[in-house]
Amino acid sequence: MAQDTRVGLLISGRGSNLQALIDAQKAADYPARIVRVISNIPDVHGLTRAEEAGIPTAVIPHKNFPDRQSFEAAIDAQLKADQVDIVCLAGFMRVLTDGFVSAWNGRLINIHPSLLPLFKGLHTHERALAEGVRFTGCTVHFVVPEMDSGPIIVQAAVPVVQGDTPATLAARVLEQEHVIYPLALAMVAANKARILDGVVHLSDVHFANQSLTNPRE
Ligand code: GRF
């Protein structure tokens, strides 16, 4: 796919992943372009980031709608008006109905702060620490009706270290989120990621084949 793959982003907050995508698309050969940022919450920092980058924004407050379907219909109408090809969820804090997810099947991606399928839902870092895992991380995946499921595009493993708190771990994971989201979006936009039997098959990408060990003596 060419540079003109049109991306719509849905956010609810600070928009640091949005910022990572804005920064990535500054590269002339980045295969996607953000054409709209939609927030369901007014006045969030993510909207300011988009405006500063010259990207059109829209605020569609879920509270203004009687139900999820009508809220999503408004989002869908905006995305269609902008001729969006791919929708990225980036800290969008509303559960989407099956109807919306099916309508955007294969063109809707999300970032989650854990190594899925572990730690779906909220408070991922607290739960990783409580389980004592030596690695956690983040995942970019295609969205399916079941929450925080769906074919995985890119993951980054992040070590958990002695003395980590949810905040220190979240910060370490977030740094990697900002690496893998632009990477995953580029793969999807460039048609390098295809879903076959519920799993993503990648072509023309590099795979690391070393094992990771944490801790090491
Ligand atoms: C990120 O941790 C993301 O993985 C999760 O929500 C957070 C959004 O952060 N889905 P930001 O708004 O992109 O800074």
Side-chain angles (χ1 to χ4, degrees), residues 11-19 46 49 89-93 110-114 124-125 138-139 148 170 173-174 177-178 181:
I11 63 165
S12 302
R14 69 186 164 180
S16 71
N17 279 290
L18 160 65
Q19 188 66 54
R49 294 179 193 268
L89 308 180
F92 182 66
M93 298 305 284
N110 180 45
I111 185 148
H112 182 76
S114 78
T124 54
H125 308 303
C138 44
T139 303
D148 297 330
V173 170
L174 193 63
E177 292 185 37
H178 298 162
Y181 213 166

Side-chain angles (χ1 to χ4, degrees), residues 7 18 21 28 30-31 33 36 39 67 102 107 190 212:
V7 176
L18 160 65
L21 294 168
Y30 195 74
R33 196 81 29 224
R36 176 71 65 180
S39 175
D67 50 34
S102 305
R107 300 185 299 146
L212 300 172

